[in-house]
Amino acid sequence: MSEIVKKFMYLNRKAPYGTIYAWEALEVVLIGAAFDQDVCVMFMDDGVYQLTKGQDTKGIGMKNFSPTYRTLGDYEVKRIFVDRASLEARGLTQEDLVEIPFEDFETEEEIDNIVEIVDSARVSELMNESDVVFSF
Amino acid sequence: MSILHTVNKSPFERNSLESCLKFATDGAAVLLFEDGIYAALSGTSVESVVSGALGKLKVYVLGPDLKARGFSEERVIEGISVVDYAGFVDLAAEHDKVQAWL
């Protein structure tokens, strides 16, 4: 593995199913997880809809990829953020979103839910701190 | 001449719904489907616009697209009817033409 660790941000701004962006972003996050970088995933604008609980795609004949978000912690993604204003504009609260657990098998650190709702100043700060931003 | 307008884009990302509501005339029907269903949910920043249109337009939302995105019928604005695919076909057949706001 490379010794240079970069801070990656995956920025998600699209709703799931209507376009391929959300699915493609998830694939890239999972692939990127193999490279041992410092990763955070940000959901804003319609991207917050990717995390809604209870998605059931049987009626539209598409693959339901929402359960995969709950496994992100297993891919050593420890930082997942949701923009508060985007949630509020859509009448959503944290209650509407899936919970993503995290467990570090070496240190035995366990976190019940790594989904963190943040304000816009924090979103900007996280973007500024990132070395690379992948936009979807 | 009664038109069925269809909107399949999110009201937060495109102006498809806005244009649809601006040009649809009294008695026309609007069907929200795919990412258009987000406009049918209560508590959003566009709820008042959609509710305001219910006086002159019949508004429908496609149930399978709601469920796929994690929303139950209870989250839908009062006055909007939930339809299935057969209902979509009926609406298309009942109206003189279908206008898609892509």
Side-chain angles (χ1 to χ4, degrees), chain B residues 2-80:
Chain B
S2 169
I3 299 182
L4 172 66
H5 298 269
T6 63
V7 176
N8 71 337
K9 298 294 187 291
S10 163
F12 306 109
E13 199 189 50
R14 307 277 187 94
N15 61 1
S16 306
L17 179 75
E18 190 187 339
S19 292
C20 169
L21 296 181
K22 181 175 164 189
F23 293 105
T25 53
D26 286 17
V30 177
L31 174 74
L32 304 168
F33 74 115
E34 296 177 356
D35 287 346
I37 66 103
Y38 296 121
L41 302 174
S42 55
T44 77
S45 58
V46 299
E47 179 177 3
S48 60
V49 176
V50 179
S51 301
L54 285 168
K56 67 163 188 169
L57 305 168
K58 288 279 289 171
V59 182
Y60 302 88
V61 61
L62 193 64
D65 280 325
L66 272 180
K67 281 187 81 175
R69 288 160 181 77
F71 295 99
S72 63
E73 295 187 15
E74 288 86 72
R75 298 289 286 261
V76 172
I77 296 168
E78 211 180 317
I80 296 181

Side-chain angles (χ1 to χ4, degrees), chain A residues 7-13 40 42-45 79 81 83 120-133 135:
Chain A
K7 295 179 90 139
F8 285 10
M9 174 186 281
Y10 295 96
L11 178 59
N12 292 279
R13 297 184 48 253
C40 88
M42 175 71 70
F43 295 89
M44 67 160 68
D45 298 326
R79 301 189 304 143
F81 301 99
D83 173 52
S120 52
R122 180 76 178 127
V123 174
S124 304
E125 195 175 81
L126 288 161
M127 280 178 184
N128 289 339
E129 285 174 2
S130 302
D131 295 306
V132 194
V133 179
S135 298

Side-chain angles (χ1 to χ4, degrees), chain A residues 59-79:
Chain A
I60 62 167
M62 290 177 77
K63 183 185 165 66
N64 180 359
F65 54 86
S66 77
T68 310
Y69 291 103
R70 294 202 296 272
T71 70
L72 286 175
D74 301 331
Y75 288 90
E76 290 177 38
V77 176
K78 194 179 173 183
R79 301 189 304 143

